[in-house]
Amino acid sequence: MVSGGIAGISQRADKEEQERSSRRGPGSELWLYDGDIATVSIVPSGDPEDHRIQDFSTYRATGMGRNGAYTYDAMAEGESEEGKYKAAEVDSGTQLRTKFGVWLYVENVMRNPSNSKTLDKNFGEDNVASWETVQSPSGKSFLKQDSENFQMWSQGFGRSKYLWNQIVDIYDEDGALNKHKVRIRRTGSGRDDTSYSIKTVTDEASVPSEAGGQSADSLIRPVDFFLQKERAIASAIEKRNADTQTTSLNGASSNKSPWDVESSSEVPSFNTSSVDNDEESLF
């Protein structure tokens, strides 16, 4: 018997969200929340010919989600494999934000248990429940999420370029970005209180030639990664709108809004937690 009322509806909504989250798999992007610590190896060397790390510009765009309109960072300008890219919506008056994207081999992420609701939503309750609970030397508890795959990490340069300068420091000290493993720690959850710490450890970097069906040598440029992501989402929305219009013309009622892209398994899922303030963002 299907339960009704608020409790029943909430349970079914939670189950649907968990199932959708589980279909995302480990994901191809690294997302950290307050108190999380990722152990990674940076894939690119940092040399000019290695395009697995890039800078690019974004602008604030508007999209339609299940809950209505929202804003997100969309690609504005960057150097793709095909050449210089510039969004048609960008003109001299558009406010741009400079960011960088870099491929990482993520070994594991120590997740802060205080973010349990966010973790359950984005990774699924069953997955989170399977993670091992470990303690730091100081006695702090973490949930250990083993990854062992290639993931994209994208951030702004930070105030006074504090974040980017940490990347530069690694390059200057080691002569390359991929000589030692790195720990990335996020502190804070809001736009004004979030900061990142990026530090090398004594262990040598470990970048496999292949992981999760991806080859390290064939990882695409960050600019192309995000352009493909935007286009896939736009194509899925267009298909959903076309399907909805066809259903309406045939006289059948639809229980899905044209902009309800998240409820379809055919729509590419993307983590909508912003790197700065946990609001919706493409990257």
Side-chain angles (χ1 to χ4, degrees):
M1 180 177 178
V2 178
S3 59
I6 296 298
I9 295 171
S10 295
Q11 289 172 4
R12 288 190 291 277
D14 290 342
K15 182 179 179 180
E16 178 185 340
E17 176 62 32
Q18 291 164 17
E19 290 175 349
R20 185 164 60 250
S21 295
S22 67
R23 288 197 298 268
R24 295 170 185 163
S28 55
E29 292 184 71
L30 174 63
W31 297 91
L32 299 178
Y33 307 99
D34 181 29
D36 289 351
I37 305 172
T39 299
V40 309
S41 294
I42 300 175
V43 176
S45 64
D47 294 337
E49 65 276 6
D50 196 334
H51 297 294
R52 292 171 295 183
I53 181 171
Q54 283 187 304
D55 63 324
F56 50 86
S57 297
T58 64
Y59 70 101
R60 297 300 286 176
T62 301
M64 291 298 295
R66 183 167 48 187
N67 298 320
Y70 61 91
T71 60
Y72 63 92
D73 285 348
M75 181 66 66
E77 297 178 344
E79 194 69 33
S80 75
E81 182 70 27
E82 299 175 353
K84 181 76 173 179
Y85 171 83
K86 183 175 181 179
E89 296 82 0
V90 173
D91 56 31
S92 59
T94 304
Q95 184 174 358
L96 303 181
R97 181 188 183 197
T98 303
K99 306 179 77 171
F100 68 90
V102 57
W103 280 106
L104 307 174
Y105 176 72
V106 181
E107 187 174 309
N108 61 68
V109 182
M110 297 300 203
R111 298 289 185 180
N112 182 358
S114 299
N115 301 320
S116 58
K117 289 185 179 180
T118 300
L119 297 176
D120 287 345
K121 177 180 178 181
N122 288 332
F123 298 100
E125 287 185 9
D126 291 342
N127 285 331
V128 174
S130 70
W131 297 345
E132 178 187 4
T133 299
V134 298
Q135 285 192 326
S136 69
S138 65
K140 188 173 183 179
S141 295
F142 289 93
L143 297 174
K144 184 180 180 183
Q145 179 192 19
D146 291 316
S147 299
E148 298 182 342
N149 61 1
F150 296 117
Q151 297 184 35
M152 174 64 63
W153 191 51
S154 174
Q155 293 292 322
F157 279 45
R159 292 177 294 277
S160 301
K161 297 194 298 184
Y162 91 92
L163 186 54
W164 176 248
N165 286 338
Q166 293 180 75
I167 300 287
V168 175
D169 287 344
I170 294 174
Y171 187 75
D172 285 343
E173 291 172 8
D174 282 356
L177 297 176
N178 52 10
K179 288 191 174 181
H180 290 93
K181 291 183 180 180
V182 172
R183 286 207 178 101
I184 305 174
R185 179 195 299 266
R186 173 172 174 168
T187 303
S189 58
R191 182 178 295 276
D192 297 326
D193 69 344
T194 294
S195 63
Y196 291 88
S197 170
I198 309 173
K199 294 182 179 179
T200 56
V201 297
T202 56
D203 296 341
E204 291 186 359
S206 176
V207 179
S209 59
E210 192 267 346
Q214 289 182 295
S215 167
D217 290 336
S218 63
L219 293 172
I220 64 176
R221 299 177 183 221
V223 169
D224 290 310
F225 175 91
F226 289 114
L227 285 175
Q228 288 184 15
K229 185 178 181 180
E230 283 190 51
R231 289 162 182 165
I233 293 171
S235 176
I237 293 174
E238 183 178 356
K239 181 179 184 302
R240 165 56 57 80
N241 290 342
D243 290 346
T244 302
Q245 290 175 357
T246 300
T247 301
S248 299
L249 289 173
N250 290 336
S253 61
S254 172
N255 59 1
K256 297 177 182 176
S257 302
W259 56 81
D260 180 14
V261 299
E262 292 187 4
S263 64
S264 170
S265 60
E266 299 178 1
V267 177
S269 297
F270 60 97
N271 190 322
T272 55
S273 298
S274 168
V275 295
D276 287 329
N277 60 357
D278 290 340
E279 293 178 354
E280 294 187 89
S281 176
L282 281 180
F283 51 89

